[in-house]
């Protein structure tokens, strides 16, 4: 993450409010790194501005969720969806723990990062059955144990048969993964005919 130049307190607090409005899931540690100040300074800024801690901000984001997921069960989504408007956009978070990484390096296995993005692209699609047809992806940098992935899916093109969904995944504002997914709205008859293949494509 590129640090912002050291700002006077008033300017820093104004920038802090704007940054958290855009990305409310940033931690105090990530904010401190971004602004080049201590974690304690960020906490004091938040108190003065009346900005709640991360846990409360996540609850507030969740309360603003507009639409229920149609294409997946909640437990089929990789990561936690904190905002969703069908056929428009969705946001999810995934904390990388021991079960996501290679033991020797602490680097996240790529399929977890892909799965978060793919399931988000399916979840944002307004259909009872949605299947990923293709994906063009790019891993920008390694992700490590302890980092929080924030994925945002944006529907960039839509018609009655399919969505084209752009997903960008960031750690503390830094892009670590991007992908463009083509997601088809499938009829239930097609799902039954495809059998296990349909289930495999959904994840």
């Amino acid at each position: 993450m590129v640090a912002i130049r050291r700002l006077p307190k008033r300017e820093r607090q104004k920038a802090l409010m704007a940054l958290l409005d855009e990305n409310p899931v940033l931690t105090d540690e990530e904010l401190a790194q971004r602004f080049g100040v201590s974690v304690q300074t960020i906490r004091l800024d938040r108190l003065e501005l009346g900005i709640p801690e991360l846990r409360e901000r996540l609850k507030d984001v969740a309360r603003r969720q507009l639409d229920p997921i149609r294409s997946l069960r909640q437990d089929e989504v990789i990561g936690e969806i904190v905002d969703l408007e069908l056929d428009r956009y969705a946001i999810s978070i995934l904390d990388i723990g021991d079960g996501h990484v290679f033991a020797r390096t602490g680097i996240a296995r790529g399929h977890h990062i892909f799965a978060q993005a793919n399931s988000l692209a399916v979840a944002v699609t307004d259909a009872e059955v949605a299947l990923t047809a293709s994906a063009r992806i790019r891993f920008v940098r390694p992700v490590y144990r302890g980092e929080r992935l924030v994925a945002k899916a944006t529907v960039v093109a839509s018609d009655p048969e399919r969505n084209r969904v752009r997903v960008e995944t960031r750690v503390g504002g830094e892009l670590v993964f991007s992908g463009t997914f083509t997601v088809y709205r499938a009829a239930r008859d097609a799902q039954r005919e495809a059998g296990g293949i349909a289930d495999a494509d959904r994840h």
Side-chain angles (χ1 to χ4, degrees):
M1 181 188 300
V2 178
I4 296 175
R5 64 179 176 84
R6 292 292 290 268
L7 298 172
K9 180 178 178 180
R10 187 182 299 274
E11 291 184 30
R12 182 182 67 244
Q13 290 185 346
K14 183 178 180 180
L16 176 65
M17 290 181 66
L19 186 60
L20 285 178
D21 185 60
E22 178 184 346
N23 189 353
V25 300
L26 291 173
T27 65
D28 286 348
E29 290 75 12
E30 290 168 338
L31 291 166
Q33 182 182 358
R34 182 68 175 264
F35 288 100
V37 297
S38 68
V39 172
Q40 183 62 26
T41 296
I42 292 296
R43 289 174 180 163
L44 289 172
D45 282 345
R46 283 198 299 97
L47 286 172
E48 290 184 22
L49 295 168
I51 298 173
E53 63 180 8
L54 176 63
R55 186 188 305 272
E56 293 303 315
R57 295 200 302 272
L58 288 176
K59 289 179 182 178
D60 183 60
V61 169
R63 282 193 290 268
R64 299 200 307 264
Q65 180 169 316
L66 299 177
D67 297 325
I69 303 170
R70 294 187 62 206
S71 55
L72 295 172
R73 296 197 312 264
Q74 188 67 46
D75 61 359
E76 294 175 322
V77 177
I78 307 302
E80 179 184 358
I81 291 184
V82 296
D83 205 359
L84 170 66
E85 188 168 345
L86 290 173
D87 279 350
R88 290 197 61 196
Y89 70 90
I91 299 172
S92 73
I93 59 175
L94 177 64
D95 290 317
I96 298 300
D98 291 339
H100 301 111
V101 303
F102 295 103
R104 186 174 63 84
T105 62
I107 295 175
R109 299 171 185 266
H111 67 270
H112 292 298
I113 301 170
F114 173 82
Q116 180 192 18
N118 184 50
S119 65
L120 195 61
V122 171
V124 77
T125 299
D126 189 1
E128 290 189 11
V129 180
L131 305 174
T132 302
S134 64
R136 297 181 62 184
I137 65 173
R138 181 168 70 100
F139 292 90
V140 180
R141 76 144 170 93
V143 173
Y144 297 91
R145 179 191 293 111
E147 292 190 313
R148 167 168 287 170
L149 298 178
V150 180
K152 181 173 183 178
T154 304
V155 177
V156 295
S158 182
D159 62 41
E161 293 185 353
R162 67 182 71 80
N163 276 348
R164 186 157 58 91
V165 184
R166 174 73 176 175
V167 181
E168 293 186 345
T169 303
R170 299 177 185 274
V171 172
E174 179 186 1
L175 185 69
V176 298
F177 172 92
S178 64
T180 301
F181 297 80
T182 300
V183 181
Y184 276 84
R185 310 176 204 273
R188 286 194 174 276
D189 288 344
Q191 181 193 32
R192 282 195 293 268
E193 290 173 7
I197 295 176
D199 288 335
D201 284 349
R202 287 174 61 185
H203 300 290

